[in-house]
Amino acid sequence: PKTAPAPAGGEGGGGGKGGKGKKEKKEKAPKQQKNAPAVDDPNAPPGAKLEIIVGKITKVWEHPDSEKLFCEHIDIGEAEERQIASGLRAFYQLPDLENRMVCVLANLKGKGLGGFKST
């Protein structure tokens, strides 16, 4: 007589009657939200606390008092656009930044650069 092949994936299968697989699921730690930084975990690496959001530069101009800074308005999906200064003039031309997608560290404190307040 022929015997049925063993189910793939080892004991317990995917939804069989084996109680072993169900007990393992109950013992797992609760999942964290995908985008939520692990700020409460003292062992978390420092980068885990950063809130990185993709945004679109809607307006960009050269800072009037600095040869190194651009000033940008960046839409990251909030009620108001973010106003950010960046030291990118040595690396990009003004037209290269307009409508460009960028990563924004959204939970950093605002800081003034050359008299321009980044928010």
Side-chain angles (χ1 to χ4, degrees):
K2 292 185 178 181
T3 59
E11 287 185 26
K17 293 183 179 179
K20 189 172 185 178
K22 290 183 180 179
K23 286 182 184 177
E24 289 177 17
K25 288 183 182 178
K26 289 181 182 178
E27 294 174 8
K28 288 183 180 178
K31 293 182 180 179
Q32 291 185 358
Q33 294 177 353
K34 282 186 177 181
N35 295 332
V39 293
D40 296 336
D41 184 3
N43 298 323
K49 297 178 182 181
L50 296 174
E51 184 180 347
I52 303 171
I53 299 177
V54 176
K56 184 176 184 178
I57 298 176
T58 58
K59 182 178 178 183
V60 62
W61 64 98
E62 294 176 348
H63 190 288
D65 299 330
S66 173
E67 295 179 5
K68 297 180 181 181
L69 297 177
F70 279 124
C71 302
E72 304 106 7
H73 283 184
I74 302 177
D75 181 8
I76 60 170
E78 296 177 338
E80 291 187 28
E81 292 183 343
R82 294 281 181 116
Q83 204 174 255
I84 297 176
S86 60
L88 298 174
R89 280 177 70 175
F91 307 103
Y92 290 94
Q93 298 297 316
L94 191 64
D96 296 336
L97 293 176
E98 188 86 30
N99 296 316
R100 189 177 189 113
M101 301 300 286
V102 293
C103 292
V104 175
L105 301 175
N107 59 341
L108 297 180
K109 291 181 182 179
K111 184 174 182 174
L113 292 174
F116 181 81
K117 179 74 173 170
S118 289
T119 57

